[in-house]
Amino acid sequence: MAKIVPVLLLFTLASVFAEGDWPSSAELNREKRELLRRSKRRWVLTTIELTEGDTGKFPKCVSRLFNDKESYCIEKNLKCRYTISGEGVNEFPRGIFFVNETDGRVYVTKSLDREERETYHINFNIYDITNNRMDDQLSFDVEVKDLNDNAPKFILPVQNVSMKEIEGQGKLPITVDARDEDKIYTDNSRIKLTVLSQTPAFPLIQLKEIEGTNVARLTTNGCFDYKKDKYYKVLIMATDHGTPQLSSTAVIHINIQDSNNNAPVFTKEQYQAEVDEIVSDVVILKMAVNDADTPHTPAWNAVYKILQGNEEGNYQIETDPNTNEGILKVIKGKDYEKNALNNLLIAVENEEPFAVCGGTSKSEAGRSTVAVAVMVRNLNDPPFFKSSVMSVHHIEESETRKILGKVEANDDETPPNMMRYKLAEDPANWVSVNEQTGEITAVKKMDRESPYVNNSIYTVVIHGIDNGKPPLTATGTVNIHLADINDHTPYLSSKNLHLCTDSDDNSVIVVAKDQDIEPYAGPFTFELLDKGKGVQENWKLGPSNENGVTLVRLKQLANGIYTVPLRIEDKQGLVIEEDLYVQLCDCGKEKVCKALKRQTSGLGGAAIGLVIAGVLLFILLLALCLMCECKEKFYPIQIDPRGEGNQTLIKYNEEGGTFCQAGQTALFTPVIVPQHSANPVSSLPPWSGFRTDEYDSLGTIGHTMSPLQSHQSMWSSHTHTKEGTMKYYRSKSMRTAMERELTMRLCNLAEKEIDYQGYGPRIYTYEGQGSQPHSLDQLSMFNSNHSLHFMADLDSKFNTLGEICQQTMQEKGLKL
């Protein structure tokens, strides 16, 4: 029994209008056509057709499944169960179909849309009560029948197109494309395109369909005219062939653009222009054109060209973008003597190629030409030098009045003898130029080392002037190459060097220079001079190079500045002797001399002895004054009211000063002037501080006397009845004179004892040979301008006192 395949019968009942109704006769005839056909133990049902868009009551029975196993189930009183699966059931889209498991009726749950899905493939089976499949699986297809329910649609319902007017003949660059979603290759999807309307009506716009497609191209039977109509509106309709017919429309907006169908035309038949010769970069003519095309478009913009007469490139023509005029310029000056008249042929055309309706014409049709006559006016041409730069050679320091060379300027309009020459630039005033001949003469000796000379070249500038109106000038440059001579001695690059005594280095490098050049400069020859100062005992010269030599210290020397005389000779034997100053100092890590020791002041033994002697002398003089009688009548002190006030200059920036600085500015103390004194003013000592010219003009009335004169006056009037009264004033005058003298001598002694250890002069620059150092003997206090010869004129008592003091000083070995 297992090998016997039962015969399966399936009756499909279509178009069931109500649940439980049997199919009509039409449906039964359809069932006859839908017979089963065997295929490898599978039974495939023919397609079931369902019309889309059915508006009937749902769910609706569309077929009934039957299997002979159902009879077996009935005989055996068994229950059989039908099932379906597949597209529209349990596969996408789900829930569209279902089956009554008892009687096998198949139902559809909603209206179908062919445009969503055209066919459904469904499988069905029969099972017994134990859920065992009783037969092989069978299948059937459900096809949705198309209705004309979709109108044609344009891909672009609205189009905005811009096109040239010359494109308006024949085919236009515009296409329309429509689609219909109904079933292809049926009347429902076959479309017809037509022009429904157009504005304006001329030229007539039509459609030409592309075979096998729903695409059509717009055509015309004429040309658009931009000057008449600039805008067109075309309405297109698409209609299908279904029942009922459906249609839709599309609109096309056409914007017409101007084309270059009008050539530019010159406003004049010919032009004339004038220009000065040699003049360049100047506008000589403007030419206007007329063009009927739209302004400021490529169809209107003019392009000018010079076709003839500009073979040498003297002229250039440009377009004014605002006015469309042609601007003719001279870019290279024309020579009147060569050509006084130039005939030019100028053409004009548009940026856009010229074209007419129906096709593009020849380029000559869109071009216009005009003749231009350019007159060249004669002007005074400037002269020119045969050579703009001239070179001559000369030896420096040579004798003057030597002709160095000759310059020559040319001018086609000026005879050579009418050309004038003038010196324009001569920084050092070394040369002159002959106004008629152009000869250059040296009027001064030239120095190659002058700051006006650059790389041994001295440059002058000369003008050549013609006799035109106005006169024009040519400029020439003359380079005078100066040959060097040995006119400069070598010299030390630096005269002041230092050597660190706290380092291992015991030598310095001495460098020499020379303003001359090869062969009058280095290499230099160095020689150490002794000059009787023992220099060669302390120093020697080591290895030398082209411009320098090594100075070596032979032994340890105390810190200070040492003068090292050198003899330097250049390559040609020119010699100079110079002193080199070498400072020995402590440097530290910086290799720079440390700061100098601050000056100090003090008194030596001789100075202390002089101070003691001065004090003793002062006590003796004071005692002598006290012995004088006090009975003499004295006269009151008279002070010159015309004298200047006493002033003191105080220095605040003194470094290492001594106490004598204040003492040297002590105030002068007024002294007694007896009324009967007749001593002349000229006898005042130089240190008295009085100006003799004032007293010469004032006479002897009320003049102030020096301490010495006061002293002599007091002794001469010793017998006067007022002697006792004058004692005090004589004593005061003597004390003033002695104090001043002692103060000055003590200060001189103090200055001699200044400690100069570690100090040396710093020479920062040198001009010439310098000055020789002065002897320290000039610092002696014995060269003081304060003369003591006045003490020889004292009376006998003072002489006695002086002898006593001198004897005491001789015993102690002191000298004044």
Side-chain angles (χ1 to χ4, degrees), residues 26 50 202 214 226 235 406 436 490 539 550 558 675 715 748 803:
L50 297 179
F202 181 83
N214 292 328
Y226 175 79
L235 187 63
K406 180 180 179 180
Q436 285 74 33
W539 308 91
T550 304
Q675 295 180 356
W715 283 99
N748 288 334
E803 292 176 357

Side-chain angles (χ1 to χ4, degrees), residues 43 167 251 291 347 352 421 689 779 815:
W43 294 92
E167 297 175 335
V251 62
D291 196 321
E352 182 180 312
Y421 300 93
L779 302 177
K815 293 183 180 181

